[in-house]
Amino acid sequence: MNVVRLLNKFSKKFLWIIGLIVGVTFLLNYIRSLVPLLIGQVFSILENKESNLPDYLLFFFNNKEGISAIITVAVSILCVCLVREIVNVFSDFIIGYAGESIGYVIQNGFYEHVQDLPYSYLNRVETGDLIQRSTNDINRVKQFYGEVLPEMINNILKIIIYSTQIFMIVKDDLAIGFAIMGFIPIIIVLALVFFKGMVKYFDAFETNEGKVSTVVQENLTGIRVVKAFANEELEIRKERSIMNRFGIAWKNMMNRLTGYWPTGDFLGYTMLLVAFTMGALSIKNNILTLSTVVSLIFYVEYLMWPTRMLGRELSNLGRTNIAAKRILEICEMPSEYDICNGDLKEPIKGGIEFKNVGFKFDDANFPLLKNVSFKIEPGQTVSIIGKTGCGKSTLVSLINRLVEPTEGKILIDGIESTRFEKKYLRSKIGLVLQEPFLFTKTIADNIGIAQGSKDLDVIKDVSDIASVRNDIERFEEGYDTLVGERGVTLSGGQKQRISIARAIVDEKPILIFDDSLSAVDTETDIHIRNALKSRKLKSTTILITHRISTAKDSDLIIVLEDGKISNIGKHDQLIKQPGLYKEIWDIQSSIEREGE
Amino acid sequence: MNEEYDDIDLKSKLDAKLWKRILKYLLPYKKYLFLGIAGVLMQAFLETKIIEFISQQGIEKYIESGFNGTTFSLFVAGLFGLIVLDAIVSRCFFWACSRLEWFLYSDMTNEVYDHLQGLSYSFFDKYSVGWLMARTTSDTSKVGELISWGFSDLIWCICKLIFIFITMLKYSVKLSLVMAIAVPTLVIISYFFRKIIVKYFWRVRKLGSQVTSSLNEGISGAKTSKVLVIEDKNSKEFDQLTTKYKNVSLRRVIFTTLYYQSIAFLSACGIAAMCYFGGVSVIKGTIEVSVLFLFISYSTNFFEPVLGVARTTNDMKHAQVSASRICNLLDVKTEIPDSKEVIEKYGTYVNPKKENWEELKGNVRFENVSFKYTTGSGRYILENFNLNVEEGKTIAIVGETGAGKSTIVNLLCRFYEPTSGTIYIDGKDYKERSVNWLHSNLGYVMQTPHLFSGTIKENIRYGNMNATDEEIIAAAKAANADDFINKLENGYNTEVGEGGNRLSQGQKQLISFARAIVANPRIIVLDEATSSIDTKTEALIQKAISNILKGRTSFVIAHRLSTIVNADTILVIQQGKITEEGTHKELMKLKGYYYKLYTNQFIDEKMSEMGIK
């Protein structure tokens, strides 16, 4: 069972808590089962017949009869029920605590684990699928541990305890016990079969409900198109036809459900009638007493509901199991910090050397990078230029160990990069990704996110360097402006510059811009690079770019073609040699000349 | 999304007008309404009777006063009959209720949906799709559910209380009064706890949606988190949120169980009281043993309906909130209505009078047009804008984001109307014709193409519902889409998926071009995409665009050099005003904004062609 495996994975202590829940629920239901006996006791007092009470309760009735015995019954009911209520509060608390804690642990574990998954996996995976798992599947599992499982335990114990009590009191006429017990499997199996069969109707209902909301949603998001083509009438017809289909699915489902509910009631009442009829006959034959039949009738009433629910819960187990499996699939993938993480935390100056580095994705047939070698001194600026898909982004993500080389070595300040602790290494390298992602926080919090401190002066300073300060200060709420769905919509350029500010908020020995400067215009690009140069710490800077104006001032230019370095050197050298760099230079300089 | 109810909303008073309006939706379904109410009444009655027969009559007649075989069989058979009848009655009642729920839900959804189609574009700018979806789908289904089931539940509870009480009075006034004391006590407890529990309910809901969105953000931002090394920080923040959620949930659990247990104890007090008072009465000989049993049975059945009343009145409050949100939406009027005279001549969008429609030639003139949003800062987005465009000419509009480019085309499309000034189409103020007339002669291609679920053919036909298959293929050819469509397994019958997500961005664009071409509009508005597309598709798109613009009055919010350079007039818009106007050559000579834009763009496009960007 995946549901058990999932629980085991996150914490073994929960198995104990579930044991405790079983124990407390047992106790609770035993106490509950005393009430019908006490009610029966009233009748055995009035009729002067034998009592069904257990000995420890019967003790209180020694030598009492008439009104004083009745008072004892009333007081006993109050006391037993008070205990029952106290135990119930206690058991609800444990169940709530266990449910919430299990949900909490699974949710947090899932969240943390996703963060720790390898970069290459996160690059490949469909975010939609992960989000689906994180919301629907986790909620289903949480609901299972918090509500469904305790309810199932409760219902099973109720059935066991009440049935046992029934057999104890009708021990002189066991036929009654068997007749009533016969209903229980029938009702459970009926519910089980019914709800299993309902799956396809529930699914049809959900699919069609989804279709209705898709149609409405598509209409509302595309309302401009609808209006521009004057197709309002068509849209209405479309909605009607899908609504009619939903109506059919609705009716199919409801017709069955409305047939089932009364059947459950019917079986319950029939069970009651059987108890009464057989009880009356048994009293006539002087086997059972009125007191016993009264208790019996109450037990039967108590049994009606749990029996019906149990079948329904059992039929839902399959879906929960699938949800648990989908969560486990993610959580059982190894974390990248468990695979050959280094432990070195030496200060880094910024020297980088690639020695015959090759890289191939697990599922690829050909290597993406082949035999790449170069050396960068601390403080140098290096540009990488090359066509889309030539391996530029992979090359830079090798430096901070987001991916690991399959061949060769990478040295940071002469030390093999795999010896560094991954998080430490990354904290010393500012990498600005091509696609900026901002968090649902204020702008100030987004910029200061990696640093922890929220020194506004620092934030203003780096916003200045990233050329986004004016933009931010033009917002009504300035640095406190909320970013994201509920906040302002930023332009692509603004997002990119904020993500640059975020990467440079504390001075880092190595900075890498993965084509992120080219999203801003040429002048801003120059401004940002100059501002970075004037900082106290001269960081080693790697720029992936397509602009010669950016590349030409670099200490080293690496031209990458098909995963290999096709040319390397300074601007003045490269423009003298035929090749990609020269081609680009020719085009770009000609345009600039045309303008002059 | 504004999906949450606030506490404030729920405190609102009973709104009789609103309820009258909602109940009107039930009027056409009198048959179901009657069946539902009759069914629920019968059910409450039968349930009360079955308990009375078993507990009182059965014990009285066949256990206390001697056993009679023949009448006993009849009695049992009669009871069984009642049980069967009860099952039949509940079936009718459930069935009627489920139908009423459906009618309420579908009628309301349809009405809201239809109403939305008639609203002007400015409305959709103000409210997010999520906000509207919440009203169109979730609120309507909530009203449907709460009114049909909640209402019948309320009737059931009240009837059952009355029936039980009447039956009790018949047997013993004294015991009935003892039992009746429980009602006010129950109401007080209920009132006290409900307030707290409802408060926690909403807090848990709110925190729950925060947890979900935080989880989603953690997933979407996982790569960035890794690069910034903030995984631990994220996890800590998430932990804080989930801890808070856990604690609030747990507090809710405690209050809920305290509530239920105090009710359970009150019920136990009822049973104990019945045992005592009833037992004493039996000893004194004022009532029979069977009556005592009946009262004990009822005392366990008495509390559920009282609690039910508390629960359903709460449900009704929720229904009222949802209903008022629906009604508020239905009360919104379109901001761009056609005048009475216009409607008389041109008809409405549901019922257009196409026979009176003039042909549109495509001369467009903006005269002193200014525009600002009715809400917001009150700053003019566009001021004293003048422009004269002759039939068949292409206008390229360039400028920075937020400069007012889209405002110009939104005004032209009459998604908005000028705050002051006039827009003439073929020399006549466009307000003198119907919105539908204009839109039927207009083609609009969005920056991010929006396709509808369905096949490619259906999506192209969206431009002109009367188009033949040949016309569709011709349009696809003109849009350069025919090639890729034919390569798909199902060709023109390929399903594009929700929002067209089974196609690439470039493919979606080509289809949206074909859709505009098949409409054969006189005026075309094109908002070019900024995001770069692979070189091959880019070449296809450029050719397709020139095909679309040919022979039509065109307004292009342009990003591609080829489009800009070939335009008859280029407008540079900065802060709501035309700062540069002319042909490509003229503007290059100015060496101003356009010149800079051109050189940057040229480098970018060349580099994309080489595959470097």
Side-chain angles (χ1 to χ4, degrees), chain B residues 170-412:
Chain B
K170 201 165 79 186
Y171 293 103
S172 163
V173 178
K174 185 179 146 201
L175 287 183
S176 309
L177 291 180
V178 172
M179 188 86 100
I181 297 173
V183 177
T185 327
L186 203 60
V187 170
I188 292 167
I189 296 177
S190 209
Y191 181 76
F192 171 74
F193 276 108
R194 280 234 161 252
K195 250 171 62 178
I196 304 174
I197 292 170
V198 165
K199 194 180 85 189
Y200 275 105
F201 176 76
W202 293 115
R203 276 185 67 187
V204 169
R205 272 267 304 246
K206 215 169 183 177
L207 277 170
S209 65
Q210 276 175 27
V211 168
T212 307
S213 60
S214 171
L215 193 54
N216 292 349
E217 186 167 270
I219 290 169
S220 335
K223 279 194 287 178
T224 305
S225 302
K226 231 171 233 312
V227 169
L228 294 169
V229 207
I230 52 171
E231 294 115 314
D232 294 339
K233 193 184 157 167
N234 285 350
S235 300
K236 219 190 282 162
E237 275 184 23
F238 187 68
D239 183 77
Q240 275 169 4
L241 193 62
T242 45
T243 307
K244 199 166 152 201
Y245 176 83
K246 186 176 83 173
N247 292 338
V248 175
S249 301
L250 210 50
R251 245 174 280 166
R252 183 182 71 156
V253 168
I254 293 171
F255 280 113
T256 313
T257 175
L258 281 177
Y259 172 51
Y260 283 128
Q261 298 335 313
S262 35
I263 299 288
F265 189 66
L266 189 64
S267 159
C269 292
I271 296 173
M274 286 309 116
C275 288
Y276 172 71
F277 290 109
V280 171
S281 306
V282 172
I283 290 172
K284 284 185 184 159
T286 40
I287 60 168
E288 302 287 327
V289 173
S290 58
V291 175
L292 171 62
F293 184 41
L294 177 72
F295 272 87
I296 295 175
S297 295
Y298 275 164
S299 71
T300 54
N301 276 292
F302 194 65
F303 285 78
E304 201 194 316
V306 181
L307 287 179
V309 174
R311 189 183 57 234
T312 44
T313 38
N314 200 51
D315 281 353
M316 289 298 127
K317 276 189 198 164
H318 285 197
Q320 184 173 311
V321 174
S322 284
S324 76
R325 303 208 304 187
I326 294 167
C327 289
N328 287 342
L329 187 55
L330 286 174
D331 289 340
V332 175
K333 296 235 156 40
T334 177
E335 281 180 29
I336 304 180
D338 287 326
S339 68
K340 229 189 229 158
E341 298 80 50
V342 171
I343 292 178
E344 214 165 276
K345 184 172 171 199
Y346 294 87
T348 61
Y349 72 85
V350 193
N351 200 359
K353 296 181 181 165
K354 294 210 170 164
E355 62 279 8
N356 294 335
W357 287 12
E358 294 95 346
E359 199 191 332
L360 194 152
K361 290 200 192 73
N363 292 303
V364 177
R365 189 151 58 87
F366 284 69
E367 204 176 272
N368 288 325
V369 170
S370 298
F371 177 77
K372 64 175 179 184
Y373 288 104
T374 42
T375 54
S377 57
R379 193 170 60 90
Y380 274 98
I381 315 254
L382 204 64
E383 259 187 292
N384 279 332
F385 183 83
N386 284 295
L387 182 70
N388 191 13
V389 182
E390 280 167 34
E391 191 182 330
K393 297 279 187 222
T394 300
I395 307 294
I397 307 171
V398 298
E400 273 161 29
T401 319
K405 290 179 293 182
S406 30
T407 309
I408 296 173
V409 299
N410 281 342
L411 287 171
L412 172 71

Side-chain angles (χ1 to χ4, degrees), chain A residues 86-331:
Chain A
I86 291 168
V87 175
N88 209 340
V89 168
F90 180 66
S91 79
D92 277 359
F93 177 77
I94 296 178
I95 289 167
Y97 173 80
E100 289 303 326
S101 304
I102 293 172
Y104 163 86
V105 166
I106 291 177
Q107 202 156 34
N108 281 19
F110 185 82
Y111 183 90
E112 277 169 36
H113 195 74
V114 168
Q115 308 261 316
D116 289 350
L117 288 175
Y119 186 81
S120 50
Y121 174 77
L122 292 171
N123 231 349
R124 201 173 59 221
V125 76
E126 271 192 41
T127 323
D129 176 55
L130 270 184
I131 287 181
Q132 178 83 4
R133 290 176 204 237
S134 82
T135 41
N136 293 358
D137 293 339
I138 286 197
N139 280 341
R140 191 177 273 278
V141 168
K142 265 176 82 172
Q143 200 190 15
F144 175 75
Y145 291 116
E147 295 166 27
V148 181
L149 181 65
E151 242 348 271
M152 278 174 71
I153 294 175
N154 193 10
N155 288 336
I156 292 172
L157 289 176
K158 263 185 188 160
I159 293 174
I160 293 175
I161 293 172
Y162 296 161
S163 315
T164 317
Q165 292 284 26
I166 288 177
F167 276 111
M168 303 253 290
I169 60 174
V170 298
K171 56 185 177 296
D172 298 327
D173 195 350
L174 281 176
I176 299 187
F178 287 117
I180 289 167
M181 285 309 114
F183 278 91
I184 290 174
I186 294 175
I187 296 176
I188 293 179
V189 169
L190 182 78
L192 193 65
V193 169
F194 175 77
F195 282 105
K196 282 250 178 217
M198 278 308 284
V199 168
K200 75 170 184 242
Y201 297 102
F202 286 140
D203 284 347
F205 175 85
E206 271 172 37
T207 319
N208 279 292
E209 192 183 26
K211 277 187 188 154
V212 169
S213 76
T214 306
V215 165
V216 177
Q217 178 147 15
E218 277 193 341
N219 171 273
L220 294 175
T221 28
I223 196 83
R224 222 182 238 246
V225 180
V226 175
K227 294 205 166 293
F229 288 110
N231 272 341
E232 289 93 343
E233 209 197 322
L234 167 76
E235 288 292 307
I236 290 176
R237 278 205 309 265
K238 198 154 83 183
E239 189 260 4
R240 284 299 186 283
S241 86
I242 209 82
M243 197 55 130
N244 286 341
R245 252 179 288 164
F246 182 34
I248 293 168
W250 175 302
K251 279 171 198 159
N252 279 338
M253 181 184 82
M254 277 301 180
N255 284 349
R256 280 166 184 81
L257 277 180
T258 55
Y260 169 75
W261 291 324
T263 314
D265 278 348
F266 170 75
L267 284 172
Y269 277 123
T270 311
M271 195 157 107
L272 199 64
L273 184 62
V274 168
F276 164 77
T277 312
M278 293 182 78
L281 288 171
S282 186
I283 293 173
K284 187 204 111 188
N285 297 330
N286 279 324
I287 305 171
L288 294 182
T289 61
L290 174 62
S291 147
T292 305
V293 174
V294 166
S295 304
L296 180 70
I297 287 176
F298 276 103
Y299 280 130
V300 170
E301 275 191 36
Y302 282 16
L303 270 176
M304 277 158 66
W305 189 246
T307 325
R308 286 169 65 184
M309 289 314 290
L310 191 62
R312 174 165 203 172
E313 283 149 7
L314 287 173
S315 72
N316 255 330
L317 263 185
R319 286 191 169 196
T320 313
N321 220 11
I322 292 169
K325 186 174 150 231
R326 283 163 53 84
I327 297 170
L328 274 169
E329 273 168 11
I330 302 293
C331 292

Side-chain angles (χ1 to χ4, degrees), chain B residues 588-603:
Chain B
M588 281 305 274
K589 274 186 206 141
L590 288 176
K591 293 242 162 151
Y593 178 88
Y594 179 77
Y595 169 77
K596 220 170 75 186
L597 179 111
Y598 176 78
T599 40
N600 272 338
Q601 185 65 28
F602 196 83
I603 292 179

